[in-house]
Amino acid sequence: MLRWYSKRIMAKLTTQFFIVGLIPLVLLGGITYFYSRSVIEAKAFNHLSAINDIKKQQIEQFLDSGMKNLEALSRSQQLQNALAHKAYREMSPLLQYFVKIFDYRHIYLLSNTGALLHEVSGQNNKEGSKPGAEVYTDALTRIRKAVQKADAQVMSDIIQPENAAHASMFMGTPVYDNAGNQLALLIFQIDAAQINDFLKGSSGLGKTGRTYLVGSDYLLRSQTYSLDKSESLKKKIQTMAVEQGINNKGGTQRITDYRNTAVLSAYEGLNMKERFGTDFNWAIISQIDASEALGMLNRLGLNIVWTILVLMVLIGAVGYFQSRVLARPIRSLSYHIMAIDEGNFTMEMPEDYKSRGDEIGMLVKSFAKTAKKFQQQIKQLSKSTRQLLTSTSQISTTASQLATSASETSSSISEVTTTVEEVKQTSQLASDKAEHVYKSSENTSKISLAGKQATENTTAGINRIKEEMNDIAESTIKLSEQTKSIEEIINTVSDIADQSNILSVNASIEAAKAGEQGKGFAVVAQEVKSLADQSKEATTQVRAILGDIQQATSTAVMATERGSKTVEEAIELAEQSGVAIERLERQVNESSDSASQIMASNQQQLSGMDQLSQAMESINDATQQNLDGVKQLEEAIKGLEEFAQTIREIISRYKV
Amino acid sequence: MPNKETPQNTREVLQSRAKALAKPVHRQETAEAEETIETLTFLMADEDFGVELRFVRAILPLKQLTPIPGVPAHISGVINVRGEILSVMDLRLLFELKSGAAAASPYVMLLSSPDMVFGIQAQKITGIQHIPINTLQPGLPTITGVREKYLKGLTDSGMALLDGEKLLTDEDLLVYQTTD
């Protein structure tokens, strides 16, 4: 089975190498082939149309220059003078010169009725011994009629009468004198070989490249490489390219030509009708055999196929050897592993695999190292298992001790829980007291507020008293002033009394002077004096009383002053008491705050105690779990001992 | 004030006054039997003096006293009494009594005889007394000089009775000098 797998790896790898190599090669080859083909074809077409265009322009220029020469000659004064004087012989040098320079076959001068007035022939173009006019009679008549009909320059198609050796084309024009009278007709005969010269030769086109002209009747107007000279004007070529060209449409196309051969063809019309006013048209066609143009492409394809085949053989060989190098050590490694599986560590890997520098070598080396390590570890494991057995018995002892201590912890926890409960009750009591303090301090705060109000009222009352005192002081001062005016009055009265006294004394004196008659008057005077004395006495009494009043008023003033001082002191005291009450209020508020804080902290303490109680319960649970755990541990240790025994048995199976 | 002023009190006061006024008149009538000298009594430098009423023409408050230059010190000045220019004397200087503001002399007594009229300054006019002649004592031996010259006698109450006649007639008191 293992052999089959190893073979399979080799087959797989070889096949994959083959496929992976083949796909890009084929793709690359194909793409190169098809791309090259399109490029070469496009290049060939471009080349063909360029050559076709050049040749077309050459022909057009040739025809154009012919027509212009005709016109120039027809308008020359010399010709007109010669015609006017019928001295046709005089024309010969000029016409000879034209024929020589432009290599025309013949130049004819015809009268209006068709009679030949004069003929000049080229040196090498004589139709045997006959003059041209005899050979081309029909052609000349046709062109004369066409000129006369159009009354302008006319060009004919290439023709070859039965008796003519060469194909020619004709150009004709009427000749006028200065008065505008038609004097004669001037006709050029041009050899078709001159046009054929432009098309001859395959330079730039390769072996099979040709250019040819075809007329409106699909008959060939020039020679082609595969046709004889005589085929001109006889071979009918009716291809798609010709039809397009005659209709003045240019382009390139891959077609089958008159020889049934595949060719690349470029075609164009000469547009004769518009340029030269003719009733016919020519198409110019350049072509090359597809086999020649694309021959290089076939060679390229063959080369590509050969290269691919050689490369595939190479790739297959490399794939086979590489997979073999990989698969062999892997097979050896598998045998080794199978041996280890059966408990045999004594096998050794071949040295040539170990000494390899690549990944396989590393794998084999590391595997050998791992196997050795594994062997040592099994030895150690055997030793460790023995130690494990000893340790488990020790652990068993420790676990029973642990169980005892856990039960002790449990009883301690229940004591702590009781204590926590007591603390909780105490803090509840403290909280109640704090609440009581808080309430009573609130009451005190209210009372102190009332006290503050009362103090303020007192201050206001005392202020009123102060005002009253001030009024009293003012009144007393006024009274004092008034006693002064009373004193003045008393002084006046005293003065009056004094004067009365003097008056009475004087009266007495007068009475004494009167003697006996004045005695009664003396009595009256005495009376008046005594009244004055009494008045004086009364004034002294009043003055004494007034003095008493003044003393009393000054006492009153002093008393009011003292009173106002006392009132001020009272105000101060009232203010002090107000301040004291405020302070009291603040203190009360502070104590109220403190009480509420105490309440809050007590509440927190209570919740803390609750949490503590819960925690204690959790600890209790945990301790219980510990106890259970210890029991489980004891069981587990038993399991462990059994496990160690099992390991010992397993290890004893290995050959180390 | 010890008592309040009520109609009853007023009546009582008036009654007591009436009694007081009634008495001296009665006593004066009883004393009329003896020979008396009608005397004007006055105070001068707090001392009691008297002068016979018959030499006294009038008593006036001292007003507009015009000092006179170049006269003896006891001549205070002159006053105008109803168009009559009279000289005024200050007897305190003559009798060598204390003088000053404490014992001002706001009154003037006009003494007159048919030949002479002048004024004497007085501190206070105390009244008119009828002095029995028998009670009048001569001047004390200690009183000499000017005092003795113008003193008529002393009463038992210690009042000095001035001799008006001598005062009016004494040439020493007159001022009749011309300035050089």
mmCIF file of all heavy atoms in Angstrom, chain A residues 498 501-502 504-506 508-510 512-513 519 523 526-527 529-531 534 538 545 548, chain B residues 1 17 20-21 25 28 32 38 40 53-54 56-61 107 112 125-128:
data_model
loop_
_atom_site.group_PDB
_atom_site.id
_atom_site.type_symbol
_atom_site.label_atom_id
_atom_site.label_comp_id
_atom_site.label_asym_id
_atom_site.label_seq_id
_atom_site.Cartn_x
_atom_site.Cartn_y
_atom_site.Cartn_z
ATOM 1 N N ASP A 498 -38.602 148.054 91.137
ATOM 2 C CA ASP A 498 -37.628 149.045 91.615
ATOM 3 C C ASP A 498 -38.102 150.466 91.358
ATOM 4 O O ASP A 498 -38.095 151.328 92.269
ATOM 5 C CB ASP A 498 -36.272 148.810 90.936
ATOM 6 C CG ASP A 498 -35.501 147.679 91.589
ATOM 7 O OD1 ASP A 498 -35.822 147.340 92.757
ATOM 8 O OD2 ASP A 498 -34.604 147.076 90.925
ATOM 9 N N ASN A 501 -40.850 151.421 93.442
ATOM 10 C CA ASN A 501 -40.311 151.724 94.775
ATOM 11 C C ASN A 501 -39.821 153.183 94.846
ATOM 12 O O ASN A 501 -40.216 153.949 95.738
ATOM 13 C CB ASN A 501 -39.154 150.760 95.052
ATOM 14 C CG ASN A 501 -38.752 150.755 96.513
ATOM 15 O OD1 ASN A 501 -39.498 151.272 97.362
ATOM 16 N ND2 ASN A 501 -37.595 150.203 96.837
ATOM 17 N N ILE A 502 -38.982 153.517 93.801
ATOM 18 C CA ILE A 502 -38.456 154.886 93.738
ATOM 19 C C ILE A 502 -39.590 155.884 93.641
ATOM 20 O O ILE A 502 -39.626 156.906 94.337
ATOM 21 C CB ILE A 502 -37.470 155.019 92.561
ATOM 22 C CG1 ILE A 502 -36.185 154.247 92.850
ATOM 23 C CG2 ILE A 502 -37.142 156.490 92.306
ATOM 24 C CD1 ILE A 502 -35.373 153.960 91.641
ATOM 25 N N SER A 504 -42.579 155.454 94.641
ATOM 26 C CA SER A 504 -43.289 155.572 95.931
ATOM 27 C C SER A 504 -42.487 156.441 96.893
ATOM 28 O O SER A 504 -43.068 157.288 97.638
ATOM 29 C CB SER A 504 -43.534 154.197 96.535
ATOM 30 O OG SER A 504 -42.326 153.630 96.950
ATOM 31 N N VAL A 505 -41.174 156.287 96.849
ATOM 32 C CA VAL A 505 -40.327 157.113 97.713
ATOM 33 C C VAL A 505 -40.495 158.581 97.349
ATOM 34 O O VAL A 505 -40.687 159.460 98.226
ATOM 35 C CB VAL A 505 -38.841 156.689 97.616
ATOM 36 C CG1 VAL A 505 -37.961 157.687 98.380
ATOM 37 C CG2 VAL A 505 -38.646 155.304 98.184
ATOM 38 N N ASN A 506 -40.450 158.837 96.069
ATOM 39 C CA ASN A 506 -40.657 160.205 95.591
ATOM 40 C C ASN A 506 -41.996 160.744 96.042
ATOM 41 O O ASN A 506 -42.129 161.897 96.479
ATOM 42 C CB ASN A 506 -40.546 160.251 94.077
ATOM 43 C CG ASN A 506 -39.102 160.275 93.582
ATOM 44 O OD1 ASN A 506 -38.220 160.726 94.345
ATOM 45 N ND2 ASN A 506 -38.848 159.787 92.400
ATOM 46 N N SER A 508 -43.637 159.754 98.608
ATOM 47 C CA SER A 508 -43.532 160.023 100.052
ATOM 48 C C SER A 508 -42.883 161.378 100.281
ATOM 49 O O SER A 508 -43.329 162.184 101.133
ATOM 50 C CB SER A 508 -42.684 158.942 100.717
ATOM 51 O OG SER A 508 -43.315 157.716 100.612
ATOM 52 N N ILE A 509 -41.796 161.622 99.485
ATOM 53 C CA ILE A 509 -41.104 162.906 99.615
ATOM 54 C C ILE A 509 -42.056 164.049 99.325
ATOM 55 O O ILE A 509 -42.161 165.009 100.114
ATOM 56 C CB ILE A 509 -39.894 162.971 98.678
ATOM 57 C CG1 ILE A 509 -38.822 161.966 99.114
ATOM 58 C CG2 ILE A 509 -39.295 164.386 98.618
ATOM 59 C CD1 ILE A 509 -37.833 161.629 98.067
ATOM 60 N N GLU A 510 -42.833 163.873 98.252
ATOM 61 C CA GLU A 510 -43.788 164.905 97.859
ATOM 62 C C GLU A 510 -44.806 165.077 98.953
ATOM 63 O O GLU A 510 -45.176 166.202 99.337
ATOM 64 C CB GLU A 510 -44.454 164.547 96.533
ATOM 65 C CG GLU A 510 -43.559 164.567 95.306
ATOM 66 C CD GLU A 510 -42.871 165.919 95.098
ATOM 67 O OE1 GLU A 510 -43.498 166.975 95.393
ATOM 68 O OE2 GLU A 510 -41.662 165.902 94.664
ATOM 69 N N ALA A 512 -44.452 164.408 102.157
ATOM 70 C CA ALA A 512 -43.808 165.065 103.293
ATOM 71 C C ALA A 512 -43.728 166.571 103.060
ATOM 72 O O ALA A 512 -43.963 167.367 103.986
ATOM 73 C CB ALA A 512 -42.401 164.495 103.482
ATOM 74 N N LYS A 513 -43.429 166.947 101.786
ATOM 75 C CA LYS A 513 -43.367 168.370 101.467
ATOM 76 C C LYS A 513 -44.733 169.028 101.631
ATOM 77 O O LYS A 513 -44.843 170.180 102.058
ATOM 78 C CB LYS A 513 -42.865 168.560 100.034
ATOM 79 C CG LYS A 513 -41.377 168.480 99.886
ATOM 80 C CD LYS A 513 -40.988 168.609 98.434
ATOM 81 C CE LYS A 513 -39.508 168.320 98.242
ATOM 82 N NZ LYS A 513 -39.205 168.131 96.842
ATOM 83 N N LYS A 519 -50.378 163.836 104.314
ATOM 84 C CA LYS A 519 -50.246 162.634 105.149
ATOM 85 C C LYS A 519 -50.919 161.412 104.578
ATOM 86 O O LYS A 519 -50.364 160.325 104.532
ATOM 87 C CB LYS A 519 -50.772 162.949 106.535
ATOM 88 C CG LYS A 519 -49.649 162.773 107.517
ATOM 89 C CD LYS A 519 -49.970 162.901 108.948
ATOM 90 C CE LYS A 519 -48.658 162.900 109.687
ATOM 91 N NZ LYS A 519 -48.766 163.652 110.945
ATOM 92 N N VAL A 523 -49.500 157.810 103.174
ATOM 93 C CA VAL A 523 -49.950 156.424 103.427
ATOM 94 C C VAL A 523 -50.036 155.651 102.123
ATOM 95 O O VAL A 523 -49.543 154.519 102.014
ATOM 96 C CB VAL A 523 -51.304 156.452 104.182
ATOM 97 C CG1 VAL A 523 -51.865 155.045 104.316
ATOM 98 C CG2 VAL A 523 -51.159 157.070 105.528
ATOM 99 N N GLN A 526 -46.779 154.868 100.906
ATOM 100 C CA GLN A 526 -46.252 153.716 101.673
ATOM 101 C C GLN A 526 -46.801 152.399 101.150
ATOM 102 O O GLN A 526 -46.091 151.412 100.994
ATOM 103 C CB GLN A 526 -46.615 153.932 103.154
ATOM 104 C CG GLN A 526 -45.882 153.004 104.104
ATOM 105 C CD GLN A 526 -44.387 153.230 104.106
ATOM 106 O OE1 GLN A 526 -43.932 154.410 104.082
ATOM 107 N NE2 GLN A 526 -43.608 152.195 104.128
ATOM 108 N N GLU A 527 -48.147 152.404 100.892
ATOM 109 C CA GLU A 527 -48.800 151.204 100.342
ATOM 110 C C GLU A 527 -48.151 150.763 99.029
ATOM 111 O O GLU A 527 -47.825 149.607 98.827
ATOM 112 C CB GLU A 527 -50.288 151.491 100.103
ATOM 113 C CG GLU A 527 -51.104 151.675 101.334
ATOM 114 C CD GLU A 527 -51.802 150.402 101.800
ATOM 115 O OE1 GLU A 527 -52.051 149.542 100.907
ATOM 116 O OE2 GLU A 527 -52.012 150.227 103.013
ATOM 117 N N LYS A 529 -45.235 151.508 97.987
ATOM 118 C CA LYS A 529 -43.888 151.002 98.235
ATOM 119 C C LYS A 529 -43.913 149.550 98.677
ATOM 120 O O LYS A 529 -43.143 148.707 98.192
ATOM 121 C CB LYS A 529 -43.184 151.881 99.264
ATOM 122 C CG LYS A 529 -41.739 151.438 99.508
ATOM 123 C CD LYS A 529 -41.054 152.350 100.461
ATOM 124 C CE LYS A 529 -39.791 151.769 101.050
ATOM 125 N NZ LYS A 529 -39.025 150.947 100.207
ATOM 126 N N SER A 530 -44.893 149.282 99.622
ATOM 127 C CA SER A 530 -44.952 147.892 100.115
ATOM 128 C C SER A 530 -45.320 146.925 98.973
ATOM 129 O O SER A 530 -44.770 145.840 98.849
ATOM 130 C CB SER A 530 -45.911 147.808 101.306
ATOM 131 O OG SER A 530 -47.104 147.204 100.965
ATOM 132 N N LEU A 531 -46.265 147.423 98.081
ATOM 133 C CA LEU A 531 -46.629 146.593 96.907
ATOM 134 C C LEU A 531 -45.390 146.322 96.034
ATOM 135 O O LEU A 531 -45.127 145.192 95.615
ATOM 136 C CB LEU A 531 -47.689 147.281 96.075
ATOM 137 C CG LEU A 531 -49.146 147.000 96.481
ATOM 138 C CD1 LEU A 531 -50.083 147.867 95.654
ATOM 139 C CD2 LEU A 531 -49.501 145.527 96.312
ATOM 140 N N GLN A 534 -43.304 143.879 97.736
ATOM 141 C CA GLN A 534 -43.866 142.529 97.559
ATOM 142 C C GLN A 534 -43.593 142.001 96.139
ATOM 143 O O GLN A 534 -43.241 140.829 95.943
ATOM 144 C CB GLN A 534 -45.366 142.551 97.833
ATOM 145 C CG GLN A 534 -45.684 142.489 99.329
ATOM 146 C CD GLN A 534 -47.170 142.547 99.611
ATOM 147 O OE1 GLN A 534 -47.977 142.320 98.740
ATOM 148 N NE2 GLN A 534 -47.514 142.887 100.861
ATOM 149 N N ALA A 538 -41.787 138.796 95.206
ATOM 150 C CA ALA A 538 -42.368 137.770 94.301
ATOM 151 C C ALA A 538 -41.407 137.420 93.159
ATOM 152 O O ALA A 538 -41.218 136.250 92.826
ATOM 153 C CB ALA A 538 -43.688 138.293 93.734
ATOM 154 N N ILE A 545 -37.791 129.878 91.801
ATOM 155 C CA ILE A 545 -38.522 128.748 91.164
ATOM 156 C C ILE A 545 -37.917 128.456 89.781
ATOM 157 O O ILE A 545 -37.677 127.300 89.405
ATOM 158 C CB ILE A 545 -40.026 129.077 91.058
ATOM 159 C CG1 ILE A 545 -40.643 129.070 92.452
ATOM 160 C CG2 ILE A 545 -40.734 128.065 90.161
ATOM 161 C CD1 ILE A 545 -41.958 129.829 92.526
ATOM 162 N N ASP A 548 -34.925 126.638 90.061
ATOM 163 C CA ASP A 548 -35.244 125.205 90.257
ATOM 164 C C ASP A 548 -35.555 124.557 88.915
ATOM 165 O O ASP A 548 -35.071 123.463 88.584
ATOM 166 C CB ASP A 548 -36.446 125.057 91.206
ATOM 167 C CG ASP A 548 -36.043 125.367 92.648
ATOM 168 O OD1 ASP A 548 -34.800 125.443 92.899
ATOM 169 O OD2 ASP A 548 -36.935 125.541 93.504
ATOM 170 N N MET B 1 -41.372 124.448 93.106
ATOM 171 C CA MET B 1 -42.528 125.080 93.793
ATOM 172 C C MET B 1 -43.181 124.096 94.733
ATOM 173 O O MET B 1 -43.626 123.038 94.294
ATOM 174 C CB MET B 1 -43.547 125.519 92.722
ATOM 175 C CG MET B 1 -43.116 126.710 91.888
ATOM 176 S SD MET B 1 -43.110 128.218 92.824
ATOM 177 C CE MET B 1 -44.869 128.593 92.792
ATOM 178 N N ARG B 17 -51.133 138.629 102.725
ATOM 179 C CA ARG B 17 -50.554 139.883 102.258
ATOM 180 C C ARG B 17 -51.322 141.076 102.846
ATOM 181 O O ARG B 17 -50.743 142.069 103.342
ATOM 182 C CB ARG B 17 -50.576 139.969 100.725
ATOM 183 C CG ARG B 17 -49.423 139.256 100.081
ATOM 184 C CD ARG B 17 -49.495 139.438 98.601
ATOM 185 N NE ARG B 17 -48.553 138.575 97.934
ATOM 186 C CZ ARG B 17 -48.529 138.404 96.628
ATOM 187 N NH1 ARG B 17 -49.441 139.021 95.877
ATOM 188 N NH2 ARG B 17 -47.637 137.619 96.099
ATOM 189 N N ALA B 20 -50.317 141.600 106.366
ATOM 190 C CA ALA B 20 -48.966 142.165 106.445
ATOM 191 C C ALA B 20 -48.973 143.668 106.141
ATOM 192 O O ALA B 20 -48.268 144.447 106.787
ATOM 193 C CB ALA B 20 -48.019 141.434 105.484
ATOM 194 N N LEU B 21 -49.800 144.032 105.154
ATOM 195 C CA LEU B 21 -49.880 145.449 104.790
ATOM 196 C C LEU B 21 -50.574 146.263 105.856
ATOM 197 O O LEU B 21 -50.244 147.421 106.127
ATOM 198 C CB LEU B 21 -50.587 145.606 103.449
ATOM 199 C CG LEU B 21 -49.812 145.216 102.197
ATOM 200 C CD1 LEU B 21 -50.745 145.137 101.012
ATOM 201 C CD2 LEU B 21 -48.693 146.212 101.942
ATOM 202 N N VAL B 25 -48.987 150.112 109.036
ATOM 203 C CA VAL B 25 -49.781 151.357 109.097
ATOM 204 C C VAL B 25 -50.268 151.595 110.515
ATOM 205 O O VAL B 25 -50.150 152.676 111.079
ATOM 206 C CB VAL B 25 -50.958 151.297 108.127
ATOM 207 C CG1 VAL B 25 -51.883 152.475 108.301
ATOM 208 C CG2 VAL B 25 -50.444 151.171 106.698
ATOM 209 N N GLN B 28 -47.292 152.603 112.707
ATOM 210 C CA GLN B 28 -46.881 153.973 112.416
ATOM 211 C C GLN B 28 -47.796 154.970 113.156
ATOM 212 O O GLN B 28 -47.341 155.976 113.700
ATOM 213 C CB GLN B 28 -46.904 154.223 110.906
ATOM 214 C CG GLN B 28 -45.668 154.888 110.429
ATOM 215 C CD GLN B 28 -45.601 154.909 108.913
ATOM 216 O OE1 GLN B 28 -46.416 154.292 108.261
ATOM 217 N NE2 GLN B 28 -44.633 155.635 108.448
ATOM 218 N N GLU B 32 -46.765 157.831 116.124
ATOM 219 C CA GLU B 32 -46.922 159.219 115.760
ATOM 220 C C GLU B 32 -46.884 160.176 116.967
ATOM 221 O O GLU B 32 -46.580 161.352 116.845
ATOM 222 C CB GLU B 32 -48.230 159.431 114.994
ATOM 223 C CG GLU B 32 -48.006 159.867 113.562
ATOM 224 C CD GLU B 32 -49.323 159.916 112.826
ATOM 225 O OE1 GLU B 32 -50.080 160.879 113.058
ATOM 226 O OE2 GLU B 32 -49.567 158.965 112.019
ATOM 227 N N GLU B 38 -38.523 162.430 109.724
ATOM 228 C CA GLU B 38 -38.800 161.660 108.492
ATOM 229 C C GLU B 38 -37.485 161.506 107.701
ATOM 230 O O GLU B 38 -36.854 162.520 107.388
ATOM 231 C CB GLU B 38 -39.808 162.377 107.609
ATOM 232 C CG GLU B 38 -41.227 161.983 107.943
ATOM 233 C CD GLU B 38 -42.232 162.577 106.970
ATOM 234 O OE1 GLU B 38 -42.020 163.734 106.542
ATOM 235 O OE2 GLU B 38 -43.190 161.899 106.608
ATOM 236 N N LEU B 40 -35.122 159.509 104.743
ATOM 237 C CA LEU B 40 -34.997 158.626 103.559
ATOM 238 C C LEU B 40 -33.780 157.734 103.783
ATOM 239 O O LEU B 40 -32.674 158.234 104.031
ATOM 240 C CB LEU B 40 -34.776 159.458 102.294
ATOM 241 C CG LEU B 40 -34.606 158.671 100.997
ATOM 242 C CD1 LEU B 40 -35.897 157.994 100.602
ATOM 243 C CD2 LEU B 40 -34.060 159.552 99.896
ATOM 244 N N LEU B 53 -35.694 163.826 105.143
ATOM 245 C CA LEU B 53 -36.550 163.876 103.953
ATOM 246 C C LEU B 53 -36.772 165.282 103.451
ATOM 247 O O LEU B 53 -36.977 165.517 102.264
ATOM 248 C CB LEU B 53 -37.880 163.181 104.248
ATOM 249 C CG LEU B 53 -38.714 162.740 103.055
ATOM 250 C CD1 LEU B 53 -37.984 161.752 102.178
ATOM 251 C CD2 LEU B 53 -40.028 162.146 103.535
ATOM 252 N N ARG B 54 -36.701 166.246 104.374
ATOM 253 C CA ARG B 54 -37.028 167.589 103.953
ATOM 254 C C ARG B 54 -35.995 168.211 103.040
ATOM 255 O O ARG B 54 -36.252 169.169 102.357
ATOM 256 C CB ARG B 54 -37.189 168.510 105.182
ATOM 257 C CG ARG B 54 -36.025 168.533 106.111
ATOM 258 C CD ARG B 54 -36.407 169.257 107.405
ATOM 259 N NE ARG B 54 -35.326 169.180 108.353
ATOM 260 C CZ ARG B 54 -34.568 170.204 108.731
ATOM 261 N NH1 ARG B 54 -34.807 171.408 108.249
ATOM 262 N NH2 ARG B 54 -33.580 170.029 109.619
ATOM 263 N N VAL B 56 -34.605 166.369 100.729
ATOM 264 C CA VAL B 56 -34.647 165.559 99.480
ATOM 265 C C VAL B 56 -35.718 166.090 98.542
ATOM 266 O O VAL B 56 -36.850 166.284 98.965
ATOM 267 C CB VAL B 56 -34.926 164.090 99.783
ATOM 268 C CG1 VAL B 56 -34.976 163.274 98.479
ATOM 269 C CG2 VAL B 56 -33.909 163.501 100.711
ATOM 270 N N ARG B 57 -35.293 166.444 97.344
ATOM 271 C CA ARG B 57 -36.279 166.943 96.374
ATOM 272 C C ARG B 57 -36.877 165.782 95.568
ATOM 273 O O ARG B 57 -38.085 165.724 95.416
ATOM 274 C CB ARG B 57 -35.606 167.940 95.411
ATOM 275 C CG ARG B 57 -36.652 168.763 94.658
ATOM 276 C CD ARG B 57 -36.033 169.949 93.963
ATOM 277 N NE ARG B 57 -35.684 169.641 92.619
ATOM 278 C CZ ARG B 57 -35.004 170.479 91.803
ATOM 279 N NH1 ARG B 57 -34.564 171.651 92.303
ATOM 280 N NH2 ARG B 57 -34.715 170.152 90.582
ATOM 281 N N ALA B 58 -36.052 164.890 95.163
ATOM 282 C CA ALA B 58 -36.562 163.743 94.369
ATOM 283 C C ALA B 58 -35.497 162.622 94.285
ATOM 284 O O ALA B 58 -34.330 162.829 94.633
ATOM 285 C CB ALA B 58 -36.910 164.182 92.954
ATOM 286 N N ILE B 59 -35.922 161.506 93.856
ATOM 287 C CA ILE B 59 -34.999 160.374 93.593
ATOM 288 C C ILE B 59 -35.126 159.993 92.112
ATOM 289 O O ILE B 59 -36.242 159.924 91.582
ATOM 290 C CB ILE B 59 -35.321 159.175 94.485
ATOM 291 C CG1 ILE B 59 -35.225 159.563 95.946
ATOM 292 C CG2 ILE B 59 -34.429 157.990 94.170
ATOM 293 C CD1 ILE B 59 -35.939 158.636 96.866
ATOM 294 N N LEU B 60 -33.995 159.793 91.520
ATOM 295 C CA LEU B 60 -34.026 159.476 90.076
ATOM 296 C C LEU B 60 -33.083 158.289 89.778
ATOM 297 O O LEU B 60 -32.086 158.129 90.494
ATOM 298 C CB LEU B 60 -33.508 160.663 89.261
ATOM 299 C CG LEU B 60 -34.282 161.970 89.350
ATOM 300 C CD1 LEU B 60 -33.459 163.094 88.765
ATOM 301 C CD2 LEU B 60 -35.603 161.848 88.617
ATOM 302 N N PRO B 61 -33.379 157.569 88.858
ATOM 303 C CA PRO B 61 -32.377 156.582 88.398
ATOM 304 C C PRO B 61 -31.237 157.358 87.703
ATOM 305 O O PRO B 61 -31.530 158.349 87.004
ATOM 306 C CB PRO B 61 -33.137 155.742 87.372
ATOM 307 C CG PRO B 61 -34.557 156.154 87.430
ATOM 308 C CD PRO B 61 -34.655 157.502 88.101
ATOM 309 N N TYR B 107 -28.736 154.833 91.554
ATOM 310 C CA TYR B 107 -29.737 155.880 91.888
ATOM 311 C C TYR B 107 -29.045 157.173 92.239
ATOM 312 O O TYR B 107 -27.865 157.172 92.602
ATOM 313 C CB TYR B 107 -30.607 155.460 93.060
ATOM 314 C CG TYR B 107 -31.382 154.173 92.773
ATOM 315 C CD1 TYR B 107 -31.002 152.972 93.312
ATOM 316 C CD2 TYR B 107 -32.517 154.223 91.916
ATOM 317 C CE1 TYR B 107 -31.691 151.819 93.043
ATOM 318 C CE2 TYR B 107 -33.201 153.065 91.648
ATOM 319 C CZ TYR B 107 -32.814 151.865 92.211
ATOM 320 O OH TYR B 107 -33.478 150.739 91.928
ATOM 321 N N SER B 112 -31.754 169.359 98.114
ATOM 322 C CA SER B 112 -31.924 170.774 97.742
ATOM 323 C C SER B 112 -32.138 171.680 98.949
ATOM 324 O O SER B 112 -32.703 171.266 99.971
ATOM 325 C CB SER B 112 -33.071 170.913 96.747
ATOM 326 O OG SER B 112 -34.278 170.601 97.381
ATOM 327 N N ILE B 125 -32.294 152.450 97.277
ATOM 328 C CA ILE B 125 -33.179 153.237 98.147
ATOM 329 C C ILE B 125 -33.970 152.245 98.968
ATOM 330 O O ILE B 125 -34.660 151.403 98.380
ATOM 331 C CB ILE B 125 -34.138 154.122 97.319
ATOM 332 C CG1 ILE B 125 -33.366 154.977 96.299
ATOM 333 C CG2 ILE B 125 -35.001 154.973 98.229
ATOM 334 C CD1 ILE B 125 -32.373 155.939 96.907
ATOM 335 N N THR B 126 -33.790 152.228 100.270
ATOM 336 C CA THR B 126 -34.466 151.211 101.087
ATOM 337 C C THR B 126 -35.833 151.669 101.564
ATOM 338 O O THR B 126 -36.686 150.847 101.846
ATOM 339 C CB THR B 126 -33.604 150.841 102.303
ATOM 340 O OG1 THR B 126 -33.150 152.019 102.928
ATOM 341 C CG2 THR B 126 -32.420 149.999 101.867
ATOM 342 N N GLY B 127 -36.082 152.959 101.680
ATOM 343 C CA GLY B 127 -37.427 153.385 102.033
ATOM 344 C C GLY B 127 -37.438 154.687 102.849
ATOM 345 O O GLY B 127 -36.440 155.409 102.898
ATOM 346 N N ILE B 128 -38.565 154.914 103.511
ATOM 347 C CA ILE B 128 -38.709 156.113 104.334
ATOM 348 C C ILE B 128 -38.997 155.650 105.743
ATOM 349 O O ILE B 128 -39.820 154.735 105.933
ATOM 350 C CB ILE B 128 -39.832 157.019 103.805
ATOM 351 C CG1 ILE B 128 -39.416 157.621 102.444
ATOM 352 C CG2 ILE B 128 -40.188 158.134 104.811
ATOM 353 C CD1 ILE B 128 -40.579 158.182 101.654
#
